[in-house]
Amino acid sequence: MPHLPESVDPAWLTPGAFRAIGSRRTLVRGGEGPVVDSVHEEVAEACARFGGHVERDASPGPYDLLLDLTGDDGSEAFTFTRDDGRTTVTASGRPGLLYGLFHVVRLGEDAFRGEARRETHRPALGLRMLDHWDNVAVHPVMGQVERGYAGGSLFWEDGRARGNLERVRAYGRLLASCGINAVAVNNVNVHRAEARLLTDRIGEVAAIACALRAYGIRTHLSVSFAAPVVLGGLATADPLEGGVRAWWAEATARVYEAIPDFGGYVVKADSEGQPGPFAYGRSHAEGANMLAGALEPYGGTVHWRAFVYDHRQDWRDRTTDRARAAYDHFVPLDGEFASNAVLQVKHGPMDFQVREPVSPLIGAMPATRLAVELQATQEYTGQQRHVCWLGPMWSEVLRFRPDGTPVAELADALVAVSNVGDDRFWTGHPLAQANLYTFGRLAWRPDADPLEILDEWIGLTFGTEPAAGVRTVMEGSWRTYEKYTAPLGVGFMVQPGHHYGPSVDGYEYSPWGTYHFADRDGIGVDRSAATGTGYAAQYAKPWAEVYESPETCPDELLLFFHHVPYGHVLHSGRTVIQHIYDTHFEGVEEVEAARRVWASLVGLVDAERHARVTERFEEQLRCAREWRDQINSYFFRKSGVPDAHGRRIH
Ligand code: GCV
């Protein structure tokens, strides 16, 4: 276990979580190397604390727990057996042994009692990854971590990799304990200093990779498509040029010399100003395949992001619809991507709003490998100042069936943009740790009930006494956030640039393609095939039909797909305008109620954590009231329709 300053929060791996293991006799058998060493160290530290005993590779004396590595096939699966008063974890690969250990930690005393049982556990998705939008140097506008709300970077400090990587190792440990197995260590917006991580600064990445390797985490790197020009001095980055291909082959060979188990590249190309193959008249498949070719000899993968749209559109142009863009760009390329190229698609067609439909690109490219990208960092969901547990949203996405098969089964990988920084609590808002944990557990088992995952996290982090209260505060927090912010799937309405707090027209006359089209009569974007942008027709049946008509479109997405009058009656029986008023009053009341519940937990939760959340609740409530009053006033003034309940609107 890494040695961290006392001030760093153990998150859900509290010392108490290891009591059951630490008070017993354990044998760790088979294998060697950093991951097996970590397993042994974990048990040894727990035993030192709680009086138990651990042996490694000794002849089996009496023991309560056997952690048994039977092979070296790299498998992540493990078998848990409870038999004859003894608990055994068997794995044929080192990662499986590690995941089996953390399974026992999660079970606590339950791992050591009860009936005979035998269960095999294996992850549903092979790649469970966090992408960090960390800049090596502090960026003048975006700071060090782009869309980061938890302090500086865990990896980078003063323009270089941190000298002391204990915290990185501890991060790897937290990630492994919830099933995550890969990390991309730098921002997809690759600035010049960051570009050099690929070449002369690869040693810094190797040091980070070494710290993460101890917990089975593979390291990936975001690279600039223009690297051959920017770093190599070539005249072009054209993916079909022999010299360019040779440059990437050479650079990649050096990366693998430094990091033999390197995971691969992440690329944001032709997106929000990042360079890409369009500049050379090449397709995105040609761009991705060139990098896939360089990685292929070493078993690496290129994650090619599908976030390609026109960010300089004319707001007057009603024919361009940003929601359509990813599908329009990529579906024609299905079947053209190399087998080690993975198309990384944001879960919604826009940009991580509190409510979006599932991207129609998911399921529309059966001959292309798919990674679904979620956002743990709460850019549009309260920026880790508001409680917003995203488990239910992610679970809905993963269970959605675009064409009969759930999203989770269509995907090869699940990726989340990390919400972690060098903050004492890792995530700024202590309750945002639950998003990190939930992401890992859902990536392992996407059909899990998210509430069970929440309870698991609460139990590990808080113990039993405050558990019911913490659950009350968190379980409905995503829907509460949705209530007091942009209504019925219309999205945005945030302050431009930093994206925090309300500004109904903040993006309405901008080039970003994120409009709501509210006027005195109605609101929403007509994305129907009959009269709108045709976006609804990008879905397979039945969704194309469900979304096409306001009569069948689910209420929560109505304004994403349709422009309707304020008097339009929802399936709920309320008019759109009354829904807006009601949900905004309700949302604030729910925050007030959650804040009271949290206040009642004083003394049951450690003082610092309690104080940090209390302070954040003050801000959440202030901001929720601001949202309520701005949204309600805006729509009252636009529509002239009074609130049916006569509440005060400004
Ligand atoms: C890393 C949104 C964010 C950007 C982010 C981008 C992306 O536009 O606001 O900060 O850039 O998504 O996903 O590439």
Side-chain angles (χ1 to χ4, degrees):
M1 187 164 23
H3 298 285
L4 285 172
E6 285 282 306
S7 60
V8 175
D9 187 50
W12 54 87
L13 293 182
T14 59
F18 290 81
R19 180 183 298 276
I21 287 186
S23 50
R24 289 190 161 75
R25 293 158 305 176
T26 297
L27 172 64
V28 180
R29 189 165 68 187
E32 53 188 21
V35 169
V36 185
D37 290 347
S38 296
V39 169
H40 179 252
E41 276 168 37
E42 290 288 344
V43 182
E45 286 214 18
C47 289
R49 186 182 290 268
F50 294 108
H53 182 74
V54 61
E55 295 274 344
R56 189 164 175 181
D57 286 327
S59 56
Y63 55 87
D64 310 296
L65 171 65
L66 171 63
L67 298 171
D68 201 10
L69 181 62
T70 58
D72 191 18
D73 64 6
S75 167
E76 297 187 310
F78 62 89
T79 300
F80 174 92
T81 316
R82 179 82 192 135
D83 204 8
D84 244 0
R86 198 174 274 168
T87 299
T88 305
V89 167
T90 314
S92 60
R94 293 169 219 199
L97 194 72
L98 184 67
Y99 295 133
L101 165 74
F102 284 120
H103 181 73
V104 175
V105 171
R106 276 193 297 274
L107 289 175
E109 284 299 326
D110 285 349
F112 298 98
R113 61 179 168 223
E115 299 295 297
R117 55 188 196 270
R118 185 186 165 82
E119 307 151 2
T120 298
H121 297 257
R122 61 171 54 83
L125 290 140
L127 194 90
R128 307 170 302 279
M129 175 168 176
L130 284 171
D131 281 5
H132 279 255
W133 288 352
D134 295 17
N135 300 313
V136 174
V138 176
H139 185 268
V141 181
M142 285 299 168
Q144 185 169 28
V145 180
E146 180 156 345
R147 311 306 179 186
Y149 312 104
S153 169
L154 279 180
F155 306 122
W156 316 102
E157 188 182 42
D158 298 333
R160 66 180 79 90
R162 284 175 185 272
N164 180 347
L165 292 169
E166 282 293 300
R167 184 93 196 251
V168 172
R169 193 153 179 267
Y171 182 49
R173 173 175 184 253
L174 275 182
L175 300 189
S177 75
C178 62
I180 292 162
N181 65 0
V183 164
V185 295
N186 63 315
N187 193 355
V188 290
N189 289 328
V190 185
H191 312 289
R192 199 189 149 77
E194 286 76 13
R196 285 177 47 204
L197 295 175
L198 171 68
T199 52
D200 56 313
R201 297 187 60 178
I202 192 66
E204 294 172 62
V205 183
I208 292 170
C210 183
L212 292 171
R213 185 176 297 122
Y215 283 90
I217 312 281
R218 283 175 91 177
T219 297
H220 297 237
L221 195 62
S222 295
V223 296
S224 167
F225 193 77
V229 177
V230 179
L231 305 175
L234 270 56
T236 176
D238 182 345
L240 299 193
E241 274 284 325
V244 172
R245 300 172 89 86
W247 189 89
W248 278 107
E250 173 78 29
T252 305
R254 292 231 189 81
V255 170
Y256 278 91
E257 260 166 44
I259 313 169
D261 58 352
F262 179 69
Y265 299 139
V266 180
V267 189
K268 173 175 177 176
D270 291 317
S271 169
E272 300 184 333
Q274 292 296 304
F278 283 163
Y280 308 99
R282 309 300 183 196
S283 77
H284 275 238
E286 287 168 325
N289 290 348
M290 185 244 325
L291 295 175
L295 290 159
E296 198 272 332
Y298 314 96
T301 301
V302 59
H303 281 239
W304 191 267
R305 293 179 85 232
F307 189 54
V308 178
Y309 70 98
D310 179 2
H311 69 292
R312 295 207 179 97
Q313 88 172 71
D314 184 344
W315 59 267
R316 300 165 195 83
D317 165 20
R318 297 290 284 259
T319 61
T320 303
D321 178 5
R322 169 168 163 180
R324 291 187 58 114
Y327 183 104
D328 285 343
H329 281 299
F330 286 96
V331 168
L333 303 178
D334 190 30
E336 292 181 22
F337 285 89
S339 60
N340 62 329
V342 178
L343 192 63
Q344 187 161 312
V345 182
K346 290 193 184 191
H347 69 83
M350 296 297 279
D351 198 7
F352 301 133
Q353 299 304 291
V354 68
R355 177 75 70 169
E356 290 188 40
V358 168
S359 167
L361 191 51
I362 297 174
M365 296 182 68
T368 306
R369 290 179 66 196
L370 168 74
V372 174
E373 186 179 295
L374 311 172
Q375 196 184 44
T377 194
Q378 292 171 233
E379 177 177 359
Y380 294 99
T381 49
Q383 303 200 348
Q384 284 140 254
R385 293 189 238 181
H386 299 216
V387 191
C388 188
W389 173 59
L390 296 165
M393 170 162 90
W394 294 340
S395 174
E396 277 183 22
V397 169
L398 294 167
R399 289 167 192 240
F400 181 79
R401 294 170 182 265
D403 194 7
T405 309
V407 166
E409 286 177 33
L410 296 168
D412 292 272
L414 198 64
V415 178
V417 183
S418 176
N419 60 351
V420 165
D422 67 358
D423 166 52
R424 158 184 177 15
F425 284 104
W426 300 89
T427 50
H429 198 309
L431 301 183
Q433 290 176 1
N435 284 331
L436 187 63
Y437 185 84
T438 303
F439 167 73
R441 299 290 285 141
L442 275 179
W444 183 282
R445 198 154 82 75
D447 61 354
D449 177 350
L451 271 176
E452 275 174 24
I453 297 177
L454 179 65
D455 284 338
E456 197 175 89
W457 175 79
I458 291 173
L460 288 167
T461 309
F462 293 90
T464 46
E465 267 198 88
V470 178
R471 188 190 219 243
T472 306
V473 164
M474 296 185 71
E475 63 182 331
S477 55
W478 166 53
R479 291 203 169 79
T480 297
Y481 187 84
E482 179 180 28
K483 282 184 176 180
Y484 63 78
T485 56
L488 297 166
V490 78
F492 289 89
M493 299 189 170
V494 289
Q495 294 191 27
H498 57 71
H499 299 167
Y500 186 72
S503 175
V504 182
D505 283 338
Y507 276 109
E508 195 58 12
Y509 306 101
S510 82
W512 292 93
T514 52
Y515 315 118
H516 55 69
F517 301 124
D519 58 24
R520 65 179 187 172
D521 300 318
I523 175 175
V525 190
D526 185 355
R527 294 192 160 105
S528 68
T531 53
T533 68
Y535 167 83
Q538 290 185 336
Y539 288 88
K541 279 185 187 161
W543 300 109
E545 285 164 2
V546 168
Y547 295 143
E548 175 67 16
S549 158
E551 303 313 316
T552 48
C553 184
D555 284 353
E556 66 271 14
L557 289 170
L558 183 69
L559 303 183
F560 191 93
F561 283 98
H562 298 282
H563 186 92
V564 296
Y566 293 114
H568 175 91
V569 179
L570 298 166
H571 298 116
S572 69
R574 289 192 283 204
T575 60
V576 165
I577 190 72
Q578 195 56 42
H579 172 97
I580 293 175
Y581 296 148
D582 287 351
T583 51
H584 284 78
F585 285 111
E586 283 162 23
V588 172
E589 283 157 19
E590 287 172 15
V591 176
E592 285 166 346
R595 179 165 154 265
R596 279 195 299 274
V597 174
W598 182 259
S600 76
L601 302 179
V602 70
L604 300 180
V605 170
D606 68 273
E608 252 194 275
R609 192 182 316 265
H610 194 273
R612 174 80 75 95
V613 174
T614 301
E615 159 213 311
R616 304 245 155 175
F617 257 126
E618 296 308 307
E619 167 54 19
Q620 179 172 1
L621 187 55
R622 182 206 65 76
C623 188
R625 287 179 177 147
E626 198 59 33
W627 271 100
R628 175 195 64 194
D629 293 340
Q630 287 204 27
I631 297 279
N632 283 349
S633 301
Y634 180 97
F635 287 105
F636 174 58
R637 291 176 192 181
K638 277 261 163 175
S639 70
V641 180
D643 171 34
H645 305 296
R647 289 165 292 195
R648 181 148 191 238
I649 291 177
H650 299 269

